[in-house]
Amino acid sequence: MTATVKDSLGATVATVALDPDAQGTFEWDGTKSDGSKAEPGAYTLSISTVNASGSSLTATINSVGRVDDVVTDGSSIMLGVNGIRFSATGLVALTAGSED
């Protein structure tokens, strides 16, 4: 499996071969492929994977984050996570965390 991180312009800033024993966990510390630190901003993650025959497989990405706020416009619910608004339609699970 390979994780690819792209900036808001679609340029690849990091490509990481994932450890098959990591059980699907990936954390990016902001280090670009050239070793420098990425600037603050929005980045996208994609995962590519192949089976033993070399055929591409579909990978699903779920993320974990702290919900800062919940807002609605009367017809949809949006979650504020790390300063970014996400639709709650893709929400898989919500658990109570410890207070910091």
Side-chain angles (χ1 to χ4, degrees):
M1 279 193 290
T2 302
T4 302
V5 180
K6 294 184 178 185
D7 65 17
S8 60
L9 299 176
T12 299
V13 295
T15 303
V16 180
L18 300 179
D19 179 356
D21 296 327
Q23 302 201 9
T25 301
F26 173 72
E27 284 188 44
W28 182 52
D29 65 2
T31 302
K32 297 173 18 176
S33 292
D34 66 5
S36 66
K37 284 292 187 180
E39 294 295 320
Y43 293 85
T44 59
L45 170 67
S46 62
I47 303 291
S48 59
T49 186
V50 296
N51 63 17
S53 308
S55 299
S56 294
L57 299 172
T58 301
T60 300
I61 300 173
N62 293 311
S63 62
V64 176
R66 180 184 177 130
V67 177
D68 301 313
D69 61 4
V70 180
V71 296
T72 182
D73 62 6
S75 62
S76 62
I77 297 173
M78 300 294 288
L79 306 173
V81 180
N82 300 330
I84 300 172
R85 295 252 186 248
F86 295 94
S87 170
T89 58
L91 186 65
V92 175
L94 186 64
T95 59
S98 61
E99 292 188 29
D100 296 339

